[in-house]
Amino acid sequence: MTLICGAGAFGTALAVTLARSGPVTLWARDAGYAAEMRAARENARRLPGIALSDQITVIGGDIPDGDAPCLLAVPMQTLGGLLAAHHAALDARPLVACCKGMDLATGLGPTGLIAQGCAKATPAILTGPSFARDIALGLPTALTLACADAATGARLQARLGSHDLRLYRSTDTIGAELGGALKNVIAIGCGAVMGAGLGESARAALMTRGFAEMDRFALAVGAQPDTLAGLSGFGDLVLTCTSGQSRNTRFGHSLGRGEAFDPAITVEGAATARAVADRARALGLDMPITQAIAALVTGELRVAQAVDMLLSRPLKEE
């Protein structure tokens, strides 16, 4: 049986696709929410219109003990709290993070938080270009599964992959998690560009120069050189920056138009922008796009000011 912690859109979508191969337990933090899903046989709040098969058992309350792998499909900023609250049930088993970002309190990524909070667990991360509804509908999707323990990674790849969900294995957890985190920051910027009416040429430039910053940061903190050129970096960047399904892009679009954004919608890139900007300053890295997006998110800059700041930088070689 596969255990998934987190009954948001992505956790539910993973449950739907994995249930085509065997039984799945989907844990929701809110017991009332779990009861609602059991009764309706769908996640009407987060993934409406997608039926939950009889292979999916939705539970609330305590996370069941065991040694089977557990997929952690919760927002990045709540992952540390989940690990602390359910340490006894989660330690000493493979834990696969399915969130993207950097923890604002510690500056750690998902696998770093897992290693810190559950020292006996084997950390892994599932990341790459994907939308929950596409996965739930069985549309072809390719993701990166990164685990520093190669043998565990191979077992997870065989267990979690399917005909429609193709998993590529890596041992570079740092690079994989940073690709998924940093692209959300650039997506906010791309959304702001389009929301402000600056055009698709400006968006393409921001994506390209933003990817250079992503690569610069990742290499500085120990990622392997080729990882960000793959699904978890470049692939995810392209999808997130060009699709209206992306929450980060929609958030940026609202910033560009000067409109309010629904506070109930999780925007991982907002906290990540601040965490990465702080870390980059500490490392002495030149990341002007990231710094500008962090200032947009906190309200320190408006879009016009950020554009002027970036365009007035000295000319340089690419």
Side-chain angles (χ1 to χ4, degrees), residues 186 188-191 193 201-211 289 293 310:
I186 306 305
I188 291 174
C190 287
V193 162
S201 297
R203 179 176 64 181
L206 187 69
M207 285 176 61
T208 306
R209 297 309 305 161
F211 182 73
I289 293 174
I293 294 168
L310 292 172

